[in-house]
Amino acid sequence: GNEIPEIKKYVDENVISEEKSDLFGAAEGKNVIFINAESIQNFVIGRDVNGQEITPFLNKLVEDEDTYYFDNFFEQTGQGNTSDSEFLVENSLYPLSRGAVFFTHGGNEYHALPEIIREEGYYSAVLHANNKSFWNRDGMYQSLEYDHFYSEDAYEINEENSVGWGLKDKPFFEQSIKYLQAMEKPFYTKFITLTNHFPFELDEEDKSIEPYNSNSNTLNNYFPAVRYADEAMEEFFNHLKQAGLYEDSIIIIMGDHIGISANHNRAMSMYLDKEEITPFDQVQLQKVPLFIHIPGHGEGEVISEVAGQIDLKPTILSLLGIEHKSDIYFGNDLFSEDRKGYIALRNGDFISNDYVSTAGMCYDVNTGEPIESEETESAEENDAETTFPCDEIEEKVDLELNYSDDIIYGDLFRFVDFGKEEKVEND
Ligand code: GP9
């Protein structure tokens, strides 16, 4: 645990903000309903396919006065896909560069959201209609200190209500309502959807829009599958309203990771009407949607500051009015003015409010044009040094990823006494 003081110093000086955001405590005491939306990328939001809207419900949410929509929000997962997105959200640590941390370090000591908010009287549960050991979830959820995991055994699953990976999202949400009704309040629940999963199979009766027409069946079928997920989430909002659960809850919807890999770039460039998908475009395609819906709030807006999955834990804690100064994490409260201004991807690439660094190149974030290096005089010799404007952030990105890896590989939170988080009055 010798590294902990150095890591704590770094996060205190570079990550954790002293200032509370204006939304600190805005959802105090409310239930939190988090939807990990399988494979939903941001490029579908507000777009059409064959002249038909892909996500009519999410598009309405963008305009909704109770909703904050983040349109410059990045997924930061590695090989652990959905499980990595969960890891990022619960811990505000980075997943690993190789393998899935849920498998490789499922027995570590963590200081995750469910544990922290239990101290404030929150009950926590995950609802996901798949085998409980997939991604070693049953083991990892114990380490994250979830109170309960409603896995496939908690659902009625038959041939009619399943497709592809299992229970369809519509019956999944419908069957979950009874668990929410019976649950201790306030609760923090995570719903992990399944239908919009590669290879994006749907039954005919569930296809509300026609597939796209390109050389990639994966991309073609993605659109009707995303529409199905959009409809399922709309139905879920309606179930919550009918069950009397809506008013006392905040609902967060987050795309977990990309659905369409670079293998489908020819079809993707045709759909996006681009000559080719450049490395810069590839990074843009790692955007996933994030919606934070606070019923009755009335001050929602579209937020375009760069943001990522690492930011969810501090954001949720802040919305609930929970201070966490002793904590160690690498994200920022999305509503704080005082933020790092960059998002690190697991491969070391990053996106800042000014630059994108990928494949060894530094790009202007607005134009997508590569930025030339600058020649500067070296202080010691008469040599010229080559520097890129991306260099400074790149150093921090490398440091953060290494610190996060150290925490996981060394199981360093065993040596930290985080104490009790403080519930603070909003001022
Ligand atoms: C499986 C589901 C999908 O339970 O979460 O996981 P993925 O393959 O997307 O990582």
Side-chain angles (χ1 to χ4, degrees), residues 38 80-83 128 130 134-135 137 165 192 194 197 257:
E38 174 64 41
N81 298 343
T82 302
S83 69
H128 180 49
N130 196 9
F134 198 93
W135 285 129
R137 283 190 171 105
W165 277 60
I192 306 172
L194 203 52
H197 193 291
H257 52 70

Side-chain angles (χ1 to χ4, degrees), residues 72 74 92 114 127 133 155 181 295 317 342 408 425:
N72 195 17
F74 288 82
S92 191
L127 298 95
S133 60
Y155 293 87
Q181 283 175 311
L317 289 174
Y342 62 87
I408 297 166
E425 288 308 312

Side-chain angles (χ1 to χ4, degrees), residues 3-180:
E3 303 93 324
I4 284 291
E6 182 186 329
I7 299 174
K8 178 64 181 151
K9 186 164 180 286
Y10 176 84
V11 300
D12 282 348
E13 288 173 4
N14 297 280
V15 182
I16 300 181
S17 167
E18 284 288 308
E19 300 290 315
K20 291 202 224 66
S21 78
D22 291 346
L23 264 72
F24 184 84
E28 192 177 331
K30 299 230 183 204
N31 303 313
V32 179
I33 297 173
F34 191 97
I35 303 175
N36 228 59
E38 174 64 41
S39 297
I40 299 203
Q41 289 181 233
N42 199 59
F43 76 87
V44 295
I45 306 294
R47 273 218 170 80
D48 290 0
V49 69
N50 310 316
Q52 289 184 294
E53 227 179 336
I54 305 161
T55 57
F57 172 64
L58 293 179
N59 296 347
K60 263 186 265 148
L61 268 192
V62 171
E63 306 293 333
D64 186 296
E65 61 175 19
D66 291 339
T67 303
Y68 292 92
Y69 164 57
F70 296 82
D71 67 354
N72 195 17
F73 179 88
F74 288 82
E75 65 104 331
Q76 299 167 279
T77 64
Q79 292 171 342
N81 298 343
T82 302
S83 69
D84 277 358
S85 78
E86 295 185 59
F87 186 79
L88 278 146
V89 169
E90 310 292 5
N91 299 291
S92 191
L93 298 174
Y94 295 99
L96 296 175
S97 59
R98 285 164 58 193
V101 57
F102 263 43
F103 272 125
T104 59
H105 294 81
N108 271 18
E109 183 71 34
Y110 293 104
H111 190 232
L113 260 180
E115 175 186 349
I116 297 172
I117 63 178
R118 177 187 301 117
E119 289 166 2
E120 307 302 335
Y122 272 79
Y123 183 86
S124 61
V126 179
L127 298 95
H128 180 49
N130 196 9
N131 187 303
K132 65 179 186 309
S133 60
F134 198 93
W135 285 129
N136 185 35
R137 283 190 171 105
D138 50 348
M140 185 54 149
Y141 289 164
Q142 285 183 29
S143 301
L144 301 178
E145 302 200 17
Y146 265 103
D147 288 316
H148 197 80
F149 179 19
Y150 295 88
S151 66
E152 93 188 319
D153 301 339
Y155 293 87
E156 251 173 68
I157 306 175
N158 51 48
E159 222 170 278
E160 281 78 60
N161 67 14
S162 328
V163 72
W165 277 60
L167 184 63
K168 299 178 189 179
D169 291 345
K170 288 182 185 179
F172 163 61
F173 282 126
E174 192 181 1
Q175 291 185 34
S176 297
I177 288 289
K178 59 179 179 295
Y179 296 126
L180 293 188

Side-chain angles (χ1 to χ4, degrees), residues 252-383:
I252 302 175
I253 302 173
M254 183 194 82
D256 63 355
H257 52 70
I258 60 162
I260 307 297
S261 74
N263 296 337
H264 307 275
N265 273 355
R266 239 178 81 203
M268 185 63 100
S269 61
M270 178 174 143
Y271 175 70
L272 296 175
D273 201 15
K274 282 176 169 283
E275 239 165 72
E276 58 167 344
I277 303 292
T278 64
F280 176 84
D281 297 328
Q282 203 72 60
V283 171
Q284 302 305 312
L285 283 168
Q286 238 175 287
K287 282 183 193 169
V288 290
L290 174 72
F291 297 87
I292 300 183
H293 181 74
I294 310 176
H297 180 65
E299 290 172 20
E301 56 179 328
V302 178
I303 297 183
S304 300
E305 307 278 307
V306 68
Q309 292 170 326
I310 197 112
D311 296 325
L312 262 308
K313 174 183 165 182
T315 304
I316 293 171
L317 289 174
S318 165
L319 285 169
L320 298 182
I322 300 169
E323 283 247 68
H324 41 106
K325 288 209 172 110
S326 64
D327 207 352
I328 294 175
Y329 56 84
F330 294 98
N332 290 132
D333 173 1
L334 289 168
F335 297 107
S336 164
E337 300 284 316
D338 181 19
R339 309 189 42 212
K340 292 187 313 195
Y342 62 87
I343 283 297
L345 304 183
R346 183 54 255 195
N347 63 3
D349 289 356
F350 68 83
I351 307 95
S352 78
N353 286 321
D354 301 312
Y355 310 115
V356 168
S357 170
T358 185
M361 293 287 288
C362 184
Y363 295 87
D364 182 309
V365 77
N366 295 313
T367 63
E369 292 299 320
I371 295 177
E372 298 300 322
S373 59
E374 288 169 10
E375 298 265 305
T376 51
E377 288 291 314
S378 156
E380 283 158 32
E381 311 268 333
N382 279 343
D383 302 339

Side-chain angles (χ1 to χ4, degrees), residues 200-249:
F200 311 112
E201 270 178 78
L202 278 187
D203 288 328
E204 273 316 308
E205 76 252 27
D206 294 320
K207 284 184 192 158
S208 301
I209 57 174
E210 291 298 311
Y212 186 52
N213 186 7
S214 73
N215 71 343
S216 160
N217 275 334
T218 300
L219 182 65
N220 298 348
N221 294 333
Y222 182 64
F223 296 103
V226 170
R227 164 61 88 88
Y228 176 82
D230 181 78
E231 290 171 3
M233 288 189 274
E234 180 168 32
E235 284 190 14
F236 184 43
F237 270 54
N238 291 332
H239 293 316
L240 290 171
K241 287 177 185 166
Q242 280 155 16
L245 289 160
Y246 174 78
E247 296 296 334
D248 285 332
S249 303

Side-chain angles (χ1 to χ4, degrees), residues 383-400:
D383 302 339
E385 257 181 19
T386 309
T387 58
F388 284 96
C390 281
D391 288 353
E392 200 181 315
I393 301 178
E394 198 171 296
E395 267 175 41
K396 287 193 173 179
V397 165
D398 288 346
L399 201 57
E400 278 185 26

